[in-house]
Amino acid sequence: MRTPDELSEAQFLSLYRRLRATAPGGGTPRGALDTITGEQVLAAVREVRSGRTVSLAAPVNTRPGPDDADPAEHRLTAPADAEPAATGLQFARDRFAMNIHGDVNSHLDALCHVIYDGTLHGGAPAAGALSPAGASALSVDLARDGIVGRGVLLDVPRLHGVPWLEPGTSVTAEDLAAAEARQEVRVGRGDIVLVRVGHRRRREELGPWDVADARAGLHPTAMEFLAEREAAVLGSDGNSDTAPSPVKGVAFPVHVLAVHAMGLHLLDYLRFEDLAPICAREGRWTFLCVIAPLRLPAATGSPVNPLAIL
């Protein structure tokens, strides 16, 4: 793979302004979700042939590691005794807590997640929309009815004949177009675009690492491809951003461009290792995709278990 050029802050700002002005979700309250119409949902339903369902989420991580210093917590709260009673009625109960925007667990980023130059998507002042009580605007509640549409998986490591992209590798617009051509599929308006970089497979085979220092992701200029095609949602088995950042002075440029400029909800740290082999074997890379975040009216994101329905 060719190493794409780094961008200066001025070049990034020019790209940001261009995408904000031209992306279909760049200024609407629901962002790019408005590109999914009822007709498109019905067309996506017709993608179902076998009725097989595949989870696109990773198992929730509860063990600390170099990429997850604050893992999810899960414990049984009842019965209180180690052994349930031999007679009578009891209920097993448990408690779950997690940092939604971590670097391991699968989650959805709401449009209020990214603050850039003191504003949220659409230019709303962040100071008036965010408080300790939560987000009063652009929260994950925008997706309370679910996100349903045509999912398109673009497998970039498969394109290059490798199991995963090494940390630090950036996926370009040319990579996305080449994956389309190889897979004989074309991303279109309202699609849920899922980009596999192999992050999850590498973690499972080699173990966790500090992803803040190095991870594969999209180059910021690849967002022009998604804007051109009018995608509705972007997801990855990483968090879509390359580390180290290819933009001087901006740590998460793809998050800024996707969420803040384009109004794209992001799906971070998904898992495609069950879906990708099926797609390759069947020679089809599109499917009905159903994303159902929790009803968290003032939250900046949600744990999520997206489903591919083939």
Side-chain angles (χ1 to χ4, degrees):
M1 296 178 64
R2 182 184 69 83
T3 302
D5 297 332
E6 289 190 353
L7 299 180
S8 67
E9 287 189 69
Q11 289 172 318
F12 175 76
L13 185 57
S14 175
L15 175 61
Y16 168 87
R17 288 171 174 163
R18 186 162 66 252
L19 290 177
R20 182 173 177 179
T22 61
T28 63
R30 280 173 38 89
L33 291 184
D34 283 339
T35 63
I36 305 177
T37 65
E39 291 76 12
Q40 286 169 310
V41 173
L42 291 173
V45 169
R46 292 193 286 272
E47 293 278 341
V48 179
R49 301 173 194 171
S50 68
R52 180 173 185 173
T53 61
V54 182
S55 169
L56 305 182
V60 173
N61 181 60
T62 57
R63 295 183 178 182
D67 56 353
D68 199 2
D70 183 22
E73 298 176 17
H74 177 234
R75 62 186 177 87
L76 205 69
T77 58
D81 300 327
E83 294 292 331
T87 60
L89 174 65
Q90 289 182 290
F91 293 101
R93 299 193 300 270
D94 47 5
R95 181 180 184 277
F96 174 73
M98 76 178 292
N99 169 22
I100 291 175
H101 299 288
D103 287 325
V104 177
N105 294 315
S106 305
H107 63 272
L108 177 72
D109 289 344
L111 297 186
C112 61
H113 175 51
V114 175
I115 306 164
Y116 184 60
D117 286 343
T119 66
L120 303 178
H121 166 69
L130 302 175
S131 74
S136 61
L138 303 177
S139 77
V140 76
D141 196 52
L142 287 173
R144 64 182 175 271
D145 295 321
I147 303 171
V148 180
R150 187 179 80 144
V152 182
L153 178 63
L154 297 179
D155 192 338
V156 181
R158 181 175 183 270
L159 170 71
H160 295 286
V162 295
W164 56 72
L165 304 184
E166 288 297 336
T169 305
S170 285
V171 175
T172 65
E174 290 76 18
D175 289 320
L176 298 179
E180 272 190 327
R182 174 72 63 86
Q183 297 171 198
E184 299 182 330
V185 67
R186 182 175 175 83
V187 172
R189 180 178 174 84
D191 281 344
I192 298 166
V193 181
L194 306 172
V195 180
R196 180 177 177 269
V197 297
H199 179 104
R200 189 65 64 177
R201 180 172 173 184
R202 188 182 194 277
R203 188 181 192 276
E204 290 173 358
E205 293 192 14
L206 301 184
W209 72 96
D210 186 352
V211 301
D213 285 343
R215 64 180 176 270
L218 298 182
H219 192 268
T221 54
M223 298 308 295
E224 294 187 284
F225 173 95
L226 296 169
E228 224 174 73
R229 301 301 178 81
E230 300 182 301
V233 176
L234 171 62
S236 177
D237 49 350
N239 75 350
S240 292
D241 261 299
T242 306
S245 171
V247 179
K248 297 176 182 177
V250 183
F252 294 88
V254 169
H255 272 65
V256 173
L257 296 176
V259 178
H260 198 281
M262 300 169 61
L264 286 173
H265 285 70
L266 289 183
L267 292 160
D268 292 345
Y269 295 107
L270 301 181
R271 186 179 186 278
F272 302 134
E273 301 317 305
D274 293 328
L275 178 63
I278 297 171
C279 289
R281 186 169 60 249
E282 297 185 2
R284 54 172 300 200
W285 300 88
T286 61
F287 39 84
L288 174 65
C289 188
V290 177
I291 305 161
L294 300 178
R295 290 294 300 269
L296 298 168
T300 65
S302 172
V304 72
N305 179 22
L307 298 177
I309 306 171
L310 300 152

